[in-house]
Amino acid sequence: MANHPDVKALFEPKSVAIIGASSSPGKIGYSIVNNIVNDGYTGKIYPINPRGGEMLGLKIYEKLLDIPGEVDVAVITVPAKDAFESVRQCAQKGVKFLAVITSGFSEIGNKQEELDMVKFARENGMRILGPNIFGYYASKVSLNAAFGPGGIKKGGVAIVTQSGALGIAMIGRTTVENVGLSALLSVGNKADLDETDLLEYFENDSDTKVILLYIEGVLRGDKLLETLRRVTRRKPVVVIKAGRSTRGAMAAASHTGSLAGADNVFDAVMKQAGVMRAESLDEAFAWCKFLSNAPMPKGPNCCIVTNGGGVGVMATDACEKYGITLYDDQAKLKEIFSPVTPAFGSTKNPVDITGQAGYEQYSKALAAALDNDQVHSVLALYCETAVFSAETLLKMIVDNYAKYKAAGKPILFSIIGGEKIDRTCVAVREFQIPVFPDVYQAVSCMGMLYVHSRTATAPALKAEARTLNVAHVKETIAKAKADGRTFLLPWESKVVMDECGIRMPRNLVAKDLADAKAKVREVGYPLVMKVASKDIIHKSDAGGVKLGIQDDAGLEKAYNEIMTSCKAYKADARIEGVELCEQVKLTTEIIVGARQDKLFGPTVMVGLGGIYVEVLKDVVFRSMPLSRDEARKMVSDIRAYPLLKGVRGQKPKDVEALVDVVLGLGNLVATVPEISDIEVNPVVVNDAGQGVVALDVRILLF
Ligand code: COA
């Protein structure tokens, strides 16, 4: 396969050819040339059309090969039937990147031609963006090779979108919202280049401060995650994903599988990778705009400065929701803010400088917060009062923002009110200052800044090292496969669990009563006795199960009763003996599962187990590899976690042993790809120091 060109040539091409350039306004081949010319592309522009002539002051070349110089990028806007031929010509010309606008490939079932086209391109040292895209924008060379609106504003946000129509709409919105772009790419069918390739460029691109991804479906999920884990440590990544619906195909195989279906895995693994998931375009733009400009906070402490108690309370609630720490050293807060707060105000955080606060009081309070090293970020709230005119409000915000900007301390403003406030918002935004008419949105932006700050400063992932006798596990699996099974039998599952160091109840088979009496000490009382017979499948129905056997007398009684009822149930049943099992006291029941997720590879799940799994769906997912800390965090993220900490005088449970099960199963699935699903339900978690017992295990194979 040929060497692939540096992706830089896509973002900084020295020359662009448009194959299918048209002189007819209204055609896509016209709009693209028009945008390239009008938005001031700095390289050479070569329109190609067999008719020749001129357009927009440019010579039209009849053939690509007629172009005298090199061509870095070719934008293809010819109908689908002619597209492959254009790709062949690009290969002859030595073009590096192709942006294939043309629709009519895999999105309508024409998969093979798309595959062939990409294969040919790659074999000839070219890469393809698309097909089925609206084009792309690259700020470094002012290239607007898209058929959306012109006049794109340069800035620090890079957008990658899978949706065409939404992407075009986004260009318009960025202009209205004053969001500057470093790049915007439509990836369409993602037949070759996808989000991962582009992220790798943005990671090192100094113009890109924030990355926004609009994703509908993921193709190379494991590679995407690996890249995101790295990129989010350097730059904030915001994602909007359409479709929170189920992925039907993987529903029934296991609880883990069906719970994983409903978008939970995507949500969890993105969060784990430090990606911020926005619910709407508005939210995403607000975050991107703020994050592309805000300095990193030097610590966790945030202060709310407000002229109204109500919005202060709203902001406090929002801070809790978005994980923002409100500075709480009351003595220090008093010291900082009492000189600037009226006696009837409050120096507690939110700091309420009251409705009479004007330019001077706000400025003093914000200066006090700015000057104090213990305050690391500020939310400045304002409810409309008669004290401020629109002009003084604008001045207050502009002046104070400038001071914070110079000092490198993050601040944002939320101003609430009527028409005067709306006008002020518009005026403030002209200065690239973060201002919001909604408290929640303002706080969410600050919350995301803290998410990024935590991600960027978190220690590098230290996956927990675990030993596993892979050969032994694989041997057990091979035997099951040789039997034509895609699941393991209970005793085979026990072998796997033993290798993972996860304890199951002690059990053994005794061939008769004398044998049972001789072996019972190996299991211990209390125990459960079950009939061992291949001819009796429903043991309970046959009276073949006895619980709570406490001593030798009980053992003998249970044995005799089981034999009598099983013979009555099925006279000709061949009975091999009885199974003696340790009877485990059911305390806190947890489910732990691990599986090969179709998109993201090995993933683990932990949640409230037993019979509540499907009803409460109190489960948490993560992808592998996993650190011990992250596995602990997983367990503490379950809503039922207080049960593990010990409620109403109960002792705390052995969370560390449960964490071992999570890591053990995750590690198993990550190292033995033959296993599709493993699920332990319930894992009985004993008191701290007493370990866990896995009662029921299901292992499914590919
Ligand atoms: N080399 C150069 N020019 C060629 C050519 C070739 N091999 N074959 C055709 N052309 C010229 C045509 O003569 C025409 O120019 P003209 O206006 O001077 O006649 C121009 O290229 C365009 O071809 P045309 O046949 O008029 O196609 P079109 O403009 O109606 O449609 C596409 C072409 C690519 C826009 C259309 O096929 C398509 O895919 N549209 C959907 C695009 C889309 O929505 N993408 C996804 C967005 S998210």
Side-chain angles (χ1 to χ4, degrees):
M1 198 172 265
N3 278 337
H4 289 128
D6 186 346
V7 73
K8 203 170 155 191
L10 177 68
F11 290 95
E12 299 167 43
K14 294 196 177 67
S15 52
V16 174
I18 305 91
I19 307 178
S22 170
S23 309
S24 310
K27 281 205 180 184
I28 285 179
Y30 175 88
S31 307
I32 292 189
V33 181
N34 191 43
N35 272 340
I36 295 178
V37 172
N38 284 343
D39 274 18
Y41 172 51
T42 55
K44 294 199 177 73
I45 311 169
Y46 301 119
I48 316 287
N49 186 304
R51 294 179 209 271
E54 259 194 32
M55 72 179 290
L56 300 163
L58 298 165
K59 173 180 162 57
I60 300 176
Y61 289 81
E62 287 170 27
K63 293 198 298 294
L64 187 66
L65 288 170
D66 294 346
I67 295 171
E70 285 188 12
V71 175
D72 285 342
V73 170
V75 182
I76 296 180
T77 65
V78 298
K81 65 178 175 34
D82 302 319
F84 204 156
E85 180 48 34
S86 299
V87 175
R88 287 196 186 90
Q89 285 166 21
C90 290
Q92 279 182 32
K93 181 68 190 162
V95 176
K96 297 182 180 111
F97 284 91
L98 313 179
V100 183
I101 307 287
T102 313
S103 303
F105 293 93
S106 64
E107 82 283 4
I108 56 155
N110 185 8
K111 181 108 186 125
Q112 196 53 47
E113 194 178 1
E114 184 172 292
L115 287 172
D116 293 345
M117 195 165 77
V118 168
K119 184 165 177 281
F120 174 85
R122 296 191 70 146
E123 281 169 358
N124 286 279
M126 305 186 292
R127 305 280 321 252
I128 288 183
L129 184 66
N132 188 31
I133 60 170
F134 63 80
Y136 77 105
Y137 167 76
S139 72
K140 279 222 170 48
V141 288
S142 304
L143 175 65
N144 180 1
F147 63 84
I152 299 177
K153 210 172 152 306
K154 286 189 187 188
V157 182
I159 302 181
V160 179
T161 169
Q162 200 175 342
S163 159
L166 190 67
I168 295 174
M170 275 194 208
I171 303 181
R173 292 277 301 180
T174 56
T175 321
V176 175
E177 297 268 339
N178 224 351
V179 179
L181 302 182
S182 62
L184 188 148
L185 298 103
S186 163
V187 284
N189 297 358
K190 299 197 264 194
D192 181 13
L193 292 170
D194 65 9
E195 294 89 359
T196 307
D197 301 293
L198 304 172
L199 277 165
E200 280 168 0
Y201 172 80
F202 296 136
E203 182 181 4
N204 296 308
D205 171 38
S206 58
D207 288 347
T208 299
K209 309 289 181 216
V210 185
I211 301 157
L212 169 61
L213 306 175
Y214 173 85
I215 295 181
E216 281 172 358
V218 178
L219 295 175
R220 298 183 294 154
D222 43 354
K223 186 86 180 64
L224 176 66
L225 270 191
E226 192 188 312
T227 310
L228 282 170
R229 277 200 201 107
R230 204 181 58 239
V231 176
T232 51
R233 295 177 68 81
R234 298 183 60 183
K235 296 177 182 182
V237 179
V238 176
V239 69
I240 311 179
K241 179 175 177 285
R244 285 189 177 263
S245 51
T246 49
R247 285 179 288 151
M250 48 180 82
S254 62
H255 284 308
T256 319
S258 61
L259 292 164
D263 196 53
N264 290 344
V265 172
F266 182 88
D267 213 52
V269 299
M270 285 294 141
K271 206 179 277 170
Q272 185 186 355
V275 176
M276 305 155 206
R277 185 170 183 182
E279 290 289 334
S280 67
L281 212 54
D282 254 9
E283 189 169 67
F285 275 165
W287 292 355
C288 287
K289 215 161 47 163
F290 179 61
L291 292 169
S292 65
N293 241 322
M296 287 274 253
K298 297 198 172 63
N301 299 337
C302 182
C303 253
I304 299 172
V305 175
T306 178
N307 71 341
V311 278
V313 174
M314 275 164 72
T316 307
D317 288 349
C319 281
E320 195 175 314
K321 175 173 172 189
Y322 291 104
I324 298 172
T325 310
L326 286 179
Y327 186 39
D328 197 31
D329 184 332
Q330 293 305 326
K332 204 82 191 125
L333 282 162
K334 198 166 183 182
E335 187 187 313
I336 304 169
F337 291 108
S338 30
V340 293
T341 308
F344 46 91
S346 167
T347 63
K348 292 179 178 153
N349 197 3
V351 177
D352 186 353
I353 54 174
T354 80
Q356 72 174 31
Y359 179 95
E360 203 157 314
Q361 289 84 347
Y362 258 105
S363 298
K364 277 187 181 158
L366 294 178
L370 178 64
D371 292 343
N372 192 283
D373 285 348
Q374 288 308 302
V375 179
H376 304 123
S377 60
V378 172
L379 291 161
L381 315 180
Y382 169 74
C383 283
E384 188 170 8
T385 62
V387 177
F388 268 110
S389 69
E391 291 69 33
T392 36
L393 180 58
L394 175 66
K395 187 169 160 42
M396 185 279 279
I397 294 173
V398 171
D399 291 354
N400 285 294
Y401 180 76
K403 289 180 194 153
Y404 273 74
K405 183 92 186 155
K409 193 177 271 194
I411 183 169
L412 51 72
F413 298 85
S414 179
I415 59 175
I416 300 143
E419 191 260 335
K420 185 169 82 182
I421 294 294
D422 282 354
R423 268 190 290 123
T424 311
C425 263
V426 173
V428 170
R429 284 186 181 142
E430 288 295 313
F431 292 86
Q432 306 294 330
I433 297 173
V435 64
F436 302 88
D438 176 65
V439 176
Y440 259 81
Q441 201 170 51
V443 177
S444 79
C445 288
M446 189 63 89
M448 293 310 122
L449 185 65
Y450 273 109
V451 167
H452 176 54
S453 148
R454 285 193 290 270
T455 307
T457 53
L461 173 83
K462 209 167 139 263
E464 169 109 344
R466 316 222 114 215
T467 48
L468 177 72
N469 186 342
V470 176
H472 195 194
V473 173
K474 290 204 175 205
E475 201 181 298
T476 310
I477 290 173
K479 281 186 192 145
K481 299 273 274 191
D483 274 1
R485 278 182 282 121
T486 52
F487 61 91
L488 295 189
L489 295 169
W491 67 266
E492 293 166 331
S493 299
K494 172 103 170 35
V495 170
V496 176
M497 297 299 275
D498 284 348
E499 289 303 342
C500 292
I502 300 169
R503 186 168 102 71
M504 295 196 68
R506 293 181 291 276
N507 75 335
L508 52 83
V509 175
K511 61 181 189 309
D512 52 28
L513 182 58
D515 196 25
K517 281 183 176 166
K519 288 178 174 166
V520 70
R521 307 287 161 235
E522 291 172 40
V523 176
Y525 293 114
L527 61 78
V528 180
M529 186 185 286
K530 298 178 197 169
V531 65
S533 166
K534 288 200 179 74
D535 297 328
I536 300 175
I537 297 172
H538 303 292
K539 296 184 170 83
S540 297
D541 292 354
V545 180
K546 295 281 171 198
L547 303 169
I549 301 166
Q550 301 290 349
D551 50 27
D552 290 359
L555 183 83
E556 185 162 347
K557 182 167 177 280
Y559 182 87
N560 291 332
E561 284 175 7
I562 284 179
M563 290 304 143
T564 311
S565 13
C566 286
K567 276 178 192 144
Y569 180 76
K570 199 166 191 212
D572 59 347
R574 283 160 300 172
I575 294 174
E576 286 96 40
V578 286
E579 195 186 334
L580 305 182
C581 309
E582 168 191 357
Q583 180 161 331
V584 177
K585 194 166 150 243
L586 293 183
T587 51
T588 312
E589 297 180 44
I590 297 291
I591 180 171
V592 184
R595 68 196 306 268
Q596 286 289 346
D597 185 84
K598 257 194 183 161
L599 303 180
F600 297 106
T603 43
V604 251
M605 180 192 86
V606 64
L608 187 61
I611 56 172
Y612 302 112
V613 182
E614 287 292 350
V615 185
L616 298 179
K617 294 185 171 54
D618 179 13
V619 291
V620 177
F621 288 90
R622 292 287 191 280
S623 68
M624 296 299 290
L626 205 57
S627 67
R628 190 168 190 90
D629 276 352
E630 192 67 30
R632 278 195 194 108
K633 172 98 181 31
M634 249 183 112
V635 172
S636 65
D637 278 355
I638 310 171
R639 290 197 303 280
Y641 181 60
L643 296 179
L644 290 167
K645 285 206 306 189
V647 280
R648 297 190 165 222
Q650 285 182 357
K651 288 193 183 137
K653 306 291 173 216
D654 204 333
V655 170
E656 287 305 310
L658 177 60
V659 167
D660 278 330
V661 177
V662 172
L663 290 165
L665 296 194
N667 181 56
L668 175 71
V669 169
T671 41
V672 185
E674 292 87 344
I675 297 178
S676 73
D677 284 70
I678 175 162
E679 185 168 286
V680 187
N681 184 28
V683 177
V684 174
V685 187
N686 297 321
D687 291 348
Q690 307 290 309
V692 297
V693 190
L695 285 199
D696 196 11
V697 185
R698 295 212 309 150
I699 300 180
L700 305 179
L701 310 171
F702 280 111

